[in-house]
Amino acid sequence: MEKNIFKAFQPNIMERLGKCCWQDDNYKQCMEEEKEIAERLRESLTEEQKALMDKYYVAVYSTVGICELLAYRQGMRDMVNILYGK
């Protein structure tokens, strides 16, 4: 597949993945646990530590977002390969 095809699909990929995740009970449970732990941490941290934790979250979620996008793209490549016997 050409890269421009992925660019055409990209606006919908994250939306579709988000819908898929929020329909999964395990995902929702993990997100709730994550929120609870983060809130407990925020209550006990200094302002500087909170800022550092927020930067950490941004970095982690950016990395996870890229991994999700790459996994989705690879799944599309694998599907094409299966369908066309490559």
Side-chain angles (χ1 to χ4, degrees):
M1 289 190 139
E2 297 293 323
K3 286 186 178 183
N4 61 353
I5 291 173
F6 292 123
K7 285 182 182 180
F9 285 125
Q10 190 162 335
N12 296 339
I13 291 174
M14 297 313 284
E15 180 182 339
R16 293 175 63 83
L17 284 172
K19 286 180 182 178
C20 178
C21 289
W22 284 109
Q23 291 175 358
D24 184 84
D25 290 336
N26 290 328
Y27 178 84
K28 289 188 275 190
Q29 182 179 355
C30 287
M31 283 301 294
E32 285 302 315
E33 183 177 353
E34 180 183 317
K35 287 178 187 179
E36 288 174 23
I37 293 168
E39 187 56 38
R40 288 176 41 207
L41 276 171
R42 281 192 180 89
E43 291 171 358
S44 63
L45 298 176
T46 66
E47 291 303 315
E48 184 179 340
Q49 291 169 326
K50 288 178 191 178
L52 188 57
M53 189 175 91
D54 289 341
K55 286 182 181 182
Y56 170 76
Y57 268 117
V58 168
V60 167
Y61 285 130
S62 294
T63 302
V64 169
I66 290 168
C67 287
E68 288 176 344
L69 182 61
L70 293 173
Y72 195 95
R73 287 179 178 179
Q74 186 59 48
M76 291 172 58
R77 285 185 186 105
D78 292 344
M79 180 186 64
V80 168
N81 287 337
I82 289 168
L83 291 174
Y84 294 101
K86 292 184 178 183

